[in-house]
Amino acid sequence: MSIPSFIEGYGEVRRFAGAFAAPRDSLRAGARIRAQHPGESKVLPSIRAAILSCGLRDGATVSFHHHLRNGDDVLRAVMHEIAALGLRDIRVAASSLFPVHAPLVEHIRSGVVTRIVSSYVTGPVAEAIAAGDLAQPAVLQTHGGRARAIEAGELPIDVAFVAAPAADLHGNLNGVDGPSACGPLGYPMVDARHAGRVVAITDGLSPHPLTAIDIAQDCVDIVVPVASIGDASKIVSGTTRVTEDPVGLAIAATAARVIDASGLLVDGFSFQTGAGGISLAVAQDVAAIMRDKGVVGGFAAGGVHQGIVSMFRQGLFRTLFDVQCFDLAAVASYREDRGHVAMSASLYANPASKGALVNHLDCMVLGAAEVDLAFNVNVTAVGGGRIIGGSGGHADTAAGAKLALVTTRLSAGGSPKIVEAVECVTTPGETIDAVVTEAGVAVNPRRGDLRDRLAAAGLPLVDIARLRDLAARETGGVRSRAGTRGGRIVAVVEYRDGTVIDVVRERRNR
């Protein structure tokens, strides 16, 4: 791993030293507060008026959240006004960026935006970063790492712009009412508590106090009513459905057997899974085992989707802790179901908090673009620097869960997924317990206890090196990390504690 001690545009580097090497004590920074006078209205007529009222200047940091995912229109609208006002050198601190945020590319190329901090980037913005268009390296954090950095004052936010499906005249906000309901506002909860100014942009303005509140009025400075904040139907990913592929279903069935054999699947079981096709199938299979055994779980958590909602409504979990909704079924459940509760990104995954929920997970099911012989996982960059996303909550949940499972096919698209060394380390191998593939289950040597349990249950165990060889045989070769090095650093990959675990360099053959 070649990480310099100083990165131009980033600064001095604190290198990753281990998943649990960070000091347990940390500081929480205070937020600047502007008091509201009696009778003063928070409602302003336009986004431009809000920007001017906040006194935004060149070099400022503005934040956005991604609860509307690929249906969000607030970032585009705000950045259009910022550019029209002639502001430059803006840092965009967005919890995630999607293809819908393509208009940001022009602001990057024009110098309006010179810095980006995010937990996940895909689409045209990711391509622009990989091509070296951004003046300074992007910083890719984890969801928990972003919350930690904001609370610690390492990521100071001048103005947080909150896409609010519902807002009242006092500035109370929620994500379950209004025409663009998207579920709990877990990510901007942190921004709203710590930003210098907070601007709620809503297409669901109410004259009366809301009966459900995700972000309270004491955190909000300005409310701007607009015609639309986006299209909530586009929070649904094209991959958010149970796989019908026989290989994927077989992997899911094996993963469910691993969870059962681990000894964790008892009353009080806590669970999280991603929204990919195999992960959804794992949830389905785990639900069947829980019904057969009469197990009632304590909670399911994370980004919530229809599969987890179904388990909850069947009585298989007592509580859902929800930081964001992956589909409209989850939105409806958050609105209707007692026991489906919101959590902030900090409560979810902040490694410096007093009670991150990830630390109480029994099992997390994860995906991967690549896994290597040291069980390191890459979900950030492949193909010589092509940025495909980022950690999100991947590294956070892997560190916290008692059982962190990666489910993956041996290869995809003609490329191996089990490799000698991953191109970019997103999640360190020390936090991954096992990798489940169609060719068997590789258990991390750190988990001899787990290997013994799985062997006793008759699971098909295989060495990780054997999986690499099988993947190479399927695809005709193994990519080498060494072949991706060279070129200037275009993105810095931070672990959840703020240390640098890897970097992404400018793509070759532009």
Side-chain angles (χ1 to χ4, degrees):
M1 185 184 303
S2 176
I3 301 175
S5 58
F6 181 89
I7 298 174
E8 192 68 36
Y10 178 82
E12 296 289 341
V13 170
R14 291 189 299 126
R15 287 191 178 91
F16 173 74
F20 306 102
R24 296 185 67 178
D25 293 336
S26 59
L27 296 175
R28 178 176 294 167
R32 180 167 57 95
I33 297 173
R34 181 181 184 273
Q36 182 188 23
H37 290 163
E40 182 181 0
S41 174
K42 291 184 177 181
V43 179
L44 290 180
S46 68
I47 292 172
R48 177 172 290 202
I51 293 169
L52 292 172
S53 177
C54 291
L56 204 63
R57 297 286 186 266
D58 289 351
T61 296
V62 294
S63 78
F64 302 91
H65 68 85
H66 70 284
H67 288 281
L68 286 166
R69 297 172 68 80
N70 208 39
D72 171 62
D73 195 41
V74 166
L75 185 148
R76 179 208 60 79
V78 170
M79 294 309 303
H80 172 79
E81 294 297 340
I82 285 175
L85 287 167
L87 297 175
R88 312 267 304 171
D89 190 28
I90 299 297
R91 176 166 63 171
V92 171
S95 52
S96 290
L97 293 166
F98 289 88
V100 72
H101 299 124
L104 195 58
V105 173
E106 182 55 38
H107 300 310
I108 290 170
R109 291 172 178 163
S110 68
V112 173
V113 174
T114 58
R115 296 163 293 163
I116 288 176
V117 181
S118 189
S119 300
Y120 179 94
V121 187
T122 189
V125 177
E127 293 167 8
I129 293 170
D133 292 343
L134 191 65
Q136 298 183 25
V139 179
L140 302 179
Q141 301 175 315
T142 73
H143 283 326
R146 180 180 188 272
R148 181 203 58 77
I150 292 170
E151 291 189 359
E154 295 173 14
L155 179 57
I157 296 168
D158 294 295
V159 184
F161 292 93
V162 180
D168 64 30
L169 298 175
H170 305 296
N172 296 301
L173 315 177
N174 76 39
V176 294
D177 298 319
S180 304
C182 62
L185 302 177
Y187 292 106
M189 288 178 183
V190 180
D191 304 47
R193 279 289 175 195
H194 294 274
R197 293 286 183 271
V198 177
V199 177
I201 301 174
T202 186
D203 55 9
L205 184 63
S206 167
H208 304 293
L210 298 177
T211 56
I213 297 172
D214 286 334
I215 295 174
Q217 63 193 48
D218 61 330
C219 291
V220 177
D221 297 279
I222 295 169
V223 177
V224 178
V226 296
S228 174
I229 61 172
D231 183 353
S233 70
K234 293 183 179 178
I235 68 174
V236 182
S237 165
T239 61
T240 311
R241 57 178 176 269
V242 177
T243 183
E244 297 178 354
D245 170 50
V247 174
L249 290 172
I251 293 170
T254 301
R257 289 180 61 199
V258 170
I259 295 167
D260 188 20
S262 71
L264 297 169
L265 197 54
V266 297
D267 282 346
F269 175 67
S270 54
F271 184 53
Q272 183 176 336
T273 178
I278 294 179
S279 294
L280 291 172
V282 174
Q284 200 172 67
D285 290 341
V286 168
I289 296 171
M290 292 176 73
R291 285 193 299 269
D292 289 345
K293 287 189 163 188
V295 169
V296 176
F299 70 86
V304 173
H305 48 74
Q306 185 171 5
I308 293 297
V309 168
S310 176
M311 295 176 77
F312 172 67
R313 287 182 166 176
Q314 291 173 53
L316 298 179
F317 290 104
R318 292 191 294 272
T319 305
L320 297 185
F321 286 106
D322 193 348
V323 70
Q324 70 167 319
C325 288
F326 283 134
D327 55 35
L328 298 181
V331 176
S333 174
Y334 179 57
R335 181 187 299 113
E336 299 163 5
D337 293 335
R338 184 178 180 181
H340 187 159
V341 298
M343 63 177 171
S344 71
S346 185
L347 172 58
Y348 171 42
N350 181 351
S353 82
K354 298 177 182 178
L357 205 76
V358 295
N359 293 340
H360 302 281
L361 278 174
D362 285 320
C363 179
M364 175 64 192
V365 180
L366 300 157
E370 295 179 321
V371 184
D372 69 18
L373 297 186
F375 288 81
N376 296 310
V377 180
N378 173 22
V379 292
T380 301
V382 297
R386 179 169 62 88
I387 296 173
I388 57 171
S391 176
H394 199 288
D396 298 311
T397 51
K402 294 184 181 72
L403 177 64
L405 289 184
V406 171
T407 57
T408 181
R409 296 183 62 138
L410 290 174
S411 66
S415 296
K417 300 188 73 177
I418 313 296
V419 297
E420 189 80 19
V422 294
E423 179 173 323
C424 181
V425 178
T426 309
T427 299
E430 66 182 281
T431 63
I432 300 297
D433 298 301
V435 177
V436 183
T437 74
E438 69 269 33
V441 182
V443 179
N444 193 319
R446 293 170 174 264
R447 291 299 311 272
D449 59 323
L450 178 63
R451 184 180 179 87
D452 290 345
R453 280 184 171 273
L454 301 189
L459 270 297
L461 301 181
V462 61
D463 190 80
I464 190 74
R466 174 61 177 162
L467 295 181
R468 175 209 53 196
D469 294 343
L470 292 172
R473 185 179 302 168
E474 280 190 6
T475 58
V478 178
R479 277 197 303 270
S480 169
R481 177 188 175 99
T484 69
R485 293 326 208 178
R488 79 177 184 91
I489 293 171
V490 296
V492 177
V493 182
E494 289 187 350
Y495 191 59
R496 57 202 303 255
D497 59 7
T499 58
V500 176
I501 194 168
D502 214 332
V503 297
V504 180
R505 294 184 181 269
E506 187 173 350
R507 288 202 73 187
R508 296 179 175 182
N509 303 319
R510 290 178 56 184

